[in-house]
Amino acid sequence: MTSAQRTQTDWIGAVPALVVCAAAPAFFVAQIVWLGWSLLALGVFGAWLVERRRPGTPDRTVSVGARRETARAIGVARTPSLTRDLALIALGMLIVSVIPLAAELDNLAMLRFTLALGGAVAVPYAVSRFVYRDRAISFPWRARRRWGRLQWGWLVAVLVLGWLILPFYFISSGVYQNWPVVDTPDLIARLFVGVGAVGIWDELFFICTVFALLRRHFPDALANVLQMIVFVSFLWELGYREWGPLLTIPFALLQGFIFVRTHSLAYVVTVHLLFDAVVFAVLVHAHNPGLLPIFLL
């Protein structure tokens, strides 16, 4: 297949990928479940049609040995399947969509979040690893290089920007009321655990699952925009509403960009947890004025 043909195929394949990702606003913003199901089915079916009509690329045998005549075959390098990868993304979104994402801190709600969000990461990973046997989903915790000055500087910038922007957003828009009142030590501790756990899950699912699967078929910029649609839609139902997308859209895009540059799950998780630490402090402050007098607003 020529470069021009491959580029054309990529853009044709982007249509079903966009349809699958568009199921996220249907599920988490409009909250029209049947529309989300329909978009997932249509997108996966569309990917199957695209792959059926384009020229196939044969699988390559992977061998080891000094000479081709005596090399020993150790496996087969399969061409990534858009249909299978979009089906994994659809599977994860289906699992998340079975629960309401309104922030709650009782035992049943926290158990529900744990099972659904954990399943949305674990089930696609297990299918990829043990059914498809293609290892398409991985969690590269550490990069081979140490964090440089730019990486450390960005961590400081995240704290400063969060401290300046988030109190104004949460309090002036009133979106802090989308989270339950936390006025006891037990509820504050539960909020701390919940905010941090969801933040880690965000990177496991949106970056290491959705973004990683899309990158197998599309340029990084396009894959990043597609994962952003899913990321921001989830955050909307979670509580980041009103003009929240003005914050969550650049945040989601930056997380994808940082992951491409660092190849480090540890780093993007650290960035997210620092951001969420400020979110936690703002929520406690908003529900208990004077308890954490560390903000300008």
Side-chain angles (χ1 to χ4, degrees):
M1 188 186 305
T2 67
S3 177
Q5 288 174 323
R6 186 178 297 109
T7 300
Q8 182 181 13
T9 301
D10 288 343
W11 286 108
I12 294 174
V15 175
L18 177 61
V19 173
V20 167
C21 292
F27 281 132
F28 308 129
V29 179
Q31 297 187 5
I32 305 176
V33 176
W34 66 265
L35 178 59
W37 291 344
S38 301
L39 289 172
L40 291 180
L42 182 62
V44 174
F45 179 69
W48 178 78
L49 288 179
V50 168
E51 291 191 312
R52 186 184 180 190
R53 295 189 177 188
R54 72 184 180 189
T57 302
D59 296 338
R60 295 182 293 105
T61 301
V62 179
S63 305
V64 294
R67 301 180 60 183
R68 180 178 300 177
E69 296 80 5
T70 59
R72 178 171 58 89
I74 60 174
V76 176
R78 294 190 177 96
T79 302
S81 167
L82 180 63
T83 305
R84 294 191 308 191
D85 288 345
L86 290 184
L88 291 176
I89 295 172
L91 179 59
M93 278 200 281
L94 278 174
I95 295 173
V96 175
S97 70
V98 301
I99 67 167
L101 295 177
E104 298 176 348
L105 299 175
D106 59 275
N107 291 336
L108 182 58
M110 297 186 77
L111 176 62
R112 185 168 62 237
F113 262 75
T114 300
L115 294 177
L117 300 191
V121 172
V123 174
Y125 171 81
V127 172
S128 173
R129 175 69 177 84
F130 301 108
V131 179
Y132 295 162
R133 298 185 180 275
D134 60 5
R135 300 177 183 268
I137 301 172
S138 63
F139 308 101
W141 182 247
R142 298 180 61 183
R144 295 180 180 179
R145 296 180 299 174
R146 293 185 177 183
W147 297 350
R149 292 181 180 179
L150 182 61
Q151 284 79 26
W152 285 106
W154 178 240
L155 296 182
V156 175
V158 168
L159 284 174
V160 174
L161 290 172
W163 178 74
L164 290 173
I165 298 171
L166 290 177
F168 177 74
Y169 163 62
F170 276 94
I171 295 174
S172 68
S173 66
V175 297
Y176 73 90
Q177 298 176 39
N178 294 332
W179 280 261
V181 175
V182 285
D183 53 4
T184 66
D186 175 65
L187 289 175
I188 292 174
R190 286 171 177 264
L191 178 66
F192 179 79
V193 172
V195 168
V198 172
I200 294 172
W201 178 84
D202 286 343
E203 305 306 326
L204 295 177
F205 183 67
F206 299 116
I207 299 300
C208 291
T209 301
V210 176
F211 186 40
L213 291 170
L214 292 171
R215 287 182 70 201
R216 283 156 54 89
H217 306 276
F218 310 113
D220 289 341
L222 176 58
N224 202 18
V225 170
L226 292 174
Q227 72 82 18
M228 175 272 294
I229 295 172
V230 186
F231 201 154
V232 172
S233 300
F234 171 83
L235 292 178
W236 177 272
E237 185 175 353
L238 193 63
Y240 293 84
R241 301 178 185 178
E242 303 298 333
W243 51 276
L246 295 179
L247 299 177
T248 56
I249 287 174
F251 181 78
L253 292 173
L254 276 171
Q255 288 296 87
F257 174 78
I258 291 170
F259 185 73
V260 170
R261 295 296 299 270
T262 64
H263 304 286
S264 172
L265 175 59
Y267 187 76
V268 293
V269 165
T270 301
V271 171
H272 203 130
L273 289 181
L274 288 175
F275 183 86
D276 282 348
V278 182
V279 170
F280 164 75
V282 171
L283 290 173
V284 173
H285 170 73
H287 286 294
N288 306 274
L291 184 60
L292 289 176
I294 61 175
F295 300 107
L296 296 177
L297 185 61

